[in-house]
Amino acid sequence: MSEISTNVSNDLFLGLDLSTQQLKGIIVNAQLEPVVQAKVEFDADFPQYKTVKGVLTNNNTREVQAPVAMWLEAVDLLLERIIKTGEANLSRLRGISGACQQHGSVYLNSTAQQQLADLDSSKSLKEQLESTLAWTLSPNWQDHSTEAECQQFDEAAGGKEQLALLTGSKAHHRFTGPQILKLRRTQKNVYDNSAHILLVSNYLASVIAGKIVSLDIADVCGMNLWDIKNKKWDENLLQLIDDVSVIKSKLGPVALDGSQSLSKVSPYFTNKYGISSECDVIPFTGDNPGTILALPLQPNDVIISLGTSTTALVVTENYVTSSMYHIFQHPLTNAYMGMLCYCNGALAREQVRDAINEKYHIADKTSWEKFNELALKVRPTGQDQTEIGFYFPLSEIIPDKHSTLKRLVWKEGSTSPTEVHVDESGWTVDHDALRILESQALSIRYRLSPMLTTKSGYPSKIYLVGGSSRNEAICRAMSRVLVPENGSFTLDLSDACAKGAANKAAFGVIGRGLTWDEFIQKMWLASNETEVAGTKGVHDQYSNVVELFVKSEGYI
Ligand code: XUL
């Protein structure tokens, strides 16, 4: 293992996070410590585009799109704001990378390559690049307008499980392949005028590089077109859209090495903002793959985001797919990233909390005190009787079910459960406090298990992030179900995408000779994370109920 050279301590690295509502930039030094950050908020900074939360929504067609020119304006404004802070000398910038909203696509006409090369620093990006857009809009990940195209994708692969096996996911409305197919169908002239079709990630990278750069190896897995195992386009799926050679040339190559420099920065940024002309552009990736680069996530480590929705990200060496979740190539190693997205999370927990507070006449309706006390006091399911609850105020993705609230009791020796209501068969509202956390965690445990390669079969470390990770009782109760060998930790991941992108830029430039895992371990300050007490080496009290939990899903 070679050392990172010490003469780089003046170097800076920029990570850009182009998400739905904002463009954020974080600059880190060679120790990966943040030096400066700035952001542009689309609705507030650019009201002229009339976006709401960064997008234009058509409820009739279920289309959700973003104006691409707005992003161009945002790049100029962000760099101006970074310079205004006076806290970073951009001539020391050695690398730029990005983490962008996934699945969105940008359509460029045949003038784009030349215009990018000829950028004039006395004008704005928007002034010069707006005319290169074959379509002014970019479909957003919240778009739901491609039902017919999704069916075609699933069918072409021989079913949704087969498509997941091939491309890491079944067909989804937001995935780029179905979106491009829809565009070709509904706006053939726009499709024909598109000499280049890019993802948001390599579009932003192309603007920074001043030339059209390759797609990213992780982000390309969000298209339903990429054969992940064999690292190549699936031609059977490409030809749903067009002649294979035509669509391949529009999409261009994929950078198989996520750390290689794609280009030096465009002279536009050197002349206008003083960014070093030696600054490398390292492949920009998607926001979820970018998130896992913000911390030293090793195989078998899991991030669980306990927000409005629930998301679990795991680094895995096992390529195990399912139509219920997503697998992407890891952006910097040969491993993969598994992503489980649940619709239900905080809202469902709050509803249980409210019922408990009502029962106990607690004046502060938003207090978690009683809920937390019960979550740690009620006996785990399977000890007195097996109680499995499903708390879905919103329809759920995993499993694919409509909104419901169901309490099922498995009596000793019976082959099917009995559905009960509150205060029947000994199931009181008190039980709901723990049952909802068990239910959310058991689903994650069951789905993660084939992706884990530890001897014990349990995750190594769990990082709990998002709103509810500030509630220690919730963290402890869920950790008891997930049994992390090395404990659970909480940390603030609110800047994870930009931070992950900045780390990626640094790795691409100064990490040569090290693997990504070596590089990030070396740099990581353990003080960034807080251990959740009592989550290391706990006894597994749930091994007997996983099977009944899975069977219970059949009764929702
Ligand atoms: C992931 C997805 C969202 C977007 C958000 O599949 O659609 O997480 O990446 O920007």
Side-chain angles (χ1 to χ4, degrees):
M1 171 164 131
S2 70
E3 291 296 313
I4 298 167
S5 70
T6 47
N7 62 359
V8 293
S9 53
N10 274 333
D11 294 342
L12 297 175
F13 304 92
L14 170 63
L16 296 172
D17 164 14
L18 175 46
S19 59
T20 310
Q21 301 193 51
Q22 60 178 24
L23 174 66
K24 190 188 285 177
I26 292 188
I27 295 182
V28 300
N29 61 21
Q31 287 72 48
L32 306 187
E33 295 156 341
V35 176
V36 59
Q37 85 173 58
K39 66 179 174 191
V40 170
E41 293 186 64
F42 301 141
D43 294 358
D45 284 309
F46 306 118
Q48 64 273 29
Y49 290 97
K50 300 190 165 53
T51 56
V52 176
K53 299 194 172 194
V55 289
L56 306 167
T57 302
N58 181 333
N59 288 325
N60 295 329
T61 59
R62 305 182 82 198
E63 289 174 304
V64 183
Q65 296 155 340
V68 180
M70 179 176 78
W71 298 340
L72 292 171
E73 290 206 60
V75 173
D76 275 325
L77 183 57
L78 181 79
L79 287 165
E80 276 168 30
R81 285 187 178 164
I82 289 179
I83 287 180
K84 257 203 199 131
T85 65
E87 283 167 34
N89 177 352
L90 298 190
S91 69
R92 284 165 44 198
L93 218 51
R94 290 276 314 279
I96 303 182
S97 188
C100 305
Q101 53 183 284
Q102 294 196 260
H103 318 296
S105 38
V106 179
Y107 299 81
L108 302 182
N109 61 35
S110 58
T111 68
Q113 194 67 279
Q114 199 55 49
Q115 279 287 103
L116 281 165
D118 291 345
L119 286 177
D120 173 351
S121 59
S122 69
K123 298 181 182 157
S124 71
L125 289 173
K126 183 191 163 201
E127 253 175 280
Q128 302 176 82
L129 294 178
E130 197 167 24
S131 64
T132 66
L133 299 172
W135 190 21
T136 56
L137 298 171
S138 169
N140 175 266
W141 58 277
Q142 296 163 99
D143 186 286
H144 275 84
S145 65
T146 55
E147 185 64 34
E149 290 77 13
C150 284
Q151 252 181 31
Q152 247 184 295
F153 268 73
D154 281 337
E155 272 165 28
K160 58 185 182 178
E161 294 303 335
Q162 281 79 358
L163 187 63
L165 184 62
L166 194 60
T167 70
S169 302
K170 72 165 184 173
H172 290 273
H173 295 129
R174 66 190 189 283
F175 273 49
T176 327
Q179 287 287 344
I180 302 173
L181 176 56
K182 184 195 128 199
L183 181 79
R184 178 161 195 240
R185 220 172 246 161
T186 55
Q187 299 190 68
K188 177 86 172 26
N189 57 332
V190 171
Y191 174 84
D192 288 341
N193 281 337
S194 302
H196 311 276
I197 302 178
L198 292 83
L199 288 175
V200 179
S201 52
N202 71 318
Y203 177 62
L204 187 59
S206 299
V207 171
I208 301 293
K211 68 177 196 188
I212 293 174
V213 299
S214 311
L215 289 154
D216 170 67
I217 185 70
D219 213 16
V220 78
C221 303
M223 301 180 83
N224 279 143
L225 292 172
W226 183 250
D227 174 348
I228 298 185
K229 281 299 283 207
N230 296 306
K231 293 190 177 15
K232 62 180 180 63
W233 296 114
D234 182 85
E235 300 198 347
N236 178 39
L237 295 170
L238 284 182
Q239 72 182 8
L240 288 175
I241 303 176
D242 203 344
D243 271 358
V244 170
S245 60
V246 176
I247 181 68
K248 259 192 189 169
S249 93
K250 288 180 196 272
L251 293 167
V254 177
L256 297 180
D257 173 0
S259 66
Q260 78 182 42
S261 171
L262 296 168
S263 164
K264 296 294 177 194
V265 73
S266 154
Y268 174 88
F269 297 98
T270 304
N271 300 336
K272 194 162 190 162
Y273 302 108
I275 295 179
S276 162
S277 57
E278 287 308 301
C279 178
D280 283 298
V281 180
I282 306 298
F284 288 28
T285 190
D287 50 3
N288 294 296
T291 296
I292 64 170
L293 304 181
L295 68 167
L297 210 66
Q298 306 282 304
N300 304 307
D301 287 344
V302 185
I303 298 177
I304 300 180
S305 168
L306 299 171
T308 315
S309 57
T310 310
T311 306
L313 301 176
V314 60
V315 176
T316 174
E317 281 153 340
N318 281 359
Y319 185 76
V320 195
T321 58
S322 158
S323 64
M324 288 196 198
Y325 59 78
H326 311 280
I327 295 277
F328 300 95
Q329 176 72 51
H330 187 288
L332 287 170
T333 76
N334 279 330
Y336 304 98
M337 182 188 92
M339 179 166 88
L340 277 54
C341 297
Y342 297 84
C343 281
N344 290 291
L347 177 69
R349 289 189 291 272
E350 278 161 20
Q351 288 187 353
V352 170
R353 175 203 65 187
D354 293 348
I356 289 171
N357 286 348
E358 199 179 310
K359 169 176 168 182
Y360 288 97
H361 309 291
I362 291 168
D364 176 2
K365 292 195 180 346
T366 59
S367 164
W368 286 94
E369 216 177 306
K370 194 71 190 170
F371 177 100
N372 290 353
E373 179 198 317
L374 293 167
L376 296 176
K377 198 171 84 184
V378 169
R379 278 162 69 79
T381 190
Q383 296 200 353
D384 300 323
Q385 63 179 359
T386 303
E387 300 177 353
I388 306 286
F390 295 100
Y391 305 80
F392 299 165
L394 305 171
S395 8
E396 189 47 274
I397 304 172
I398 310 177
D400 183 5
K401 301 282 178 189
H402 289 298
S403 143
T404 188
L405 168 56
K406 205 150 252 186
R407 296 180 183 84
L408 302 173
V409 173
W410 290 83
K411 298 259 185 291
E412 188 75 38
S414 77
T415 52
S416 59
T418 315
E419 185 178 351
V420 302
H421 295 100
V422 158
D423 295 331
E424 286 174 13
S425 298
W427 189 324
T428 66
V429 162
D430 296 17
H431 289 206
D432 285 330
L434 182 57
R435 300 298 170 252
I436 184 171
L437 302 178
E438 288 174 335
S439 176
Q440 293 178 337
L442 280 166
S443 176
I444 295 173
R445 171 172 170 159
Y446 170 65
R447 262 107 211 167
L448 282 186
S449 103
M451 291 192 254
L452 300 175
T453 51
T454 50
K455 259 211 188 106
S456 63
Y458 299 120
S460 176
K461 269 179 154 190
I462 291 182
Y463 293 95
L464 295 156
V465 306
S468 301
S469 69
R470 286 189 286 273
N471 183 325
E472 195 183 318
I474 292 182
C475 293
R476 279 178 55 197
M478 292 185 80
S479 298
R480 286 193 316 210
V481 177
L482 293 156
V483 208
E485 282 182 348
N486 297 306
S488 288
F489 299 80
T490 58
L491 75 167
D492 177 7
L493 270 192
S494 49
D495 289 328
C497 299
K499 194 75 209 324
N503 294 348
K504 190 173 196 277
F507 177 64
V509 178
I510 58 171
R512 294 288 148 193
L514 297 177
T515 65
W516 161 255
D517 289 337
E518 289 165 348
F519 177 78
I520 189 72
Q521 283 285 2
K522 214 176 148 74
M523 299 295 194
W524 180 249
L525 296 173
S527 58
N528 288 340
E529 57 194 37
T530 310
E531 191 167 345
V532 182
T535 55
K536 195 183 280 177
V538 293
H539 165 64
D540 182 3
Q541 305 176 75
Y542 289 93
S543 55
N544 292 334
V545 296
V546 179
E547 205 185 308
L548 286 184
F549 173 80
V550 178
K551 276 196 190 157
S552 302
E553 286 186 344
Y555 292 88
I556 305 178

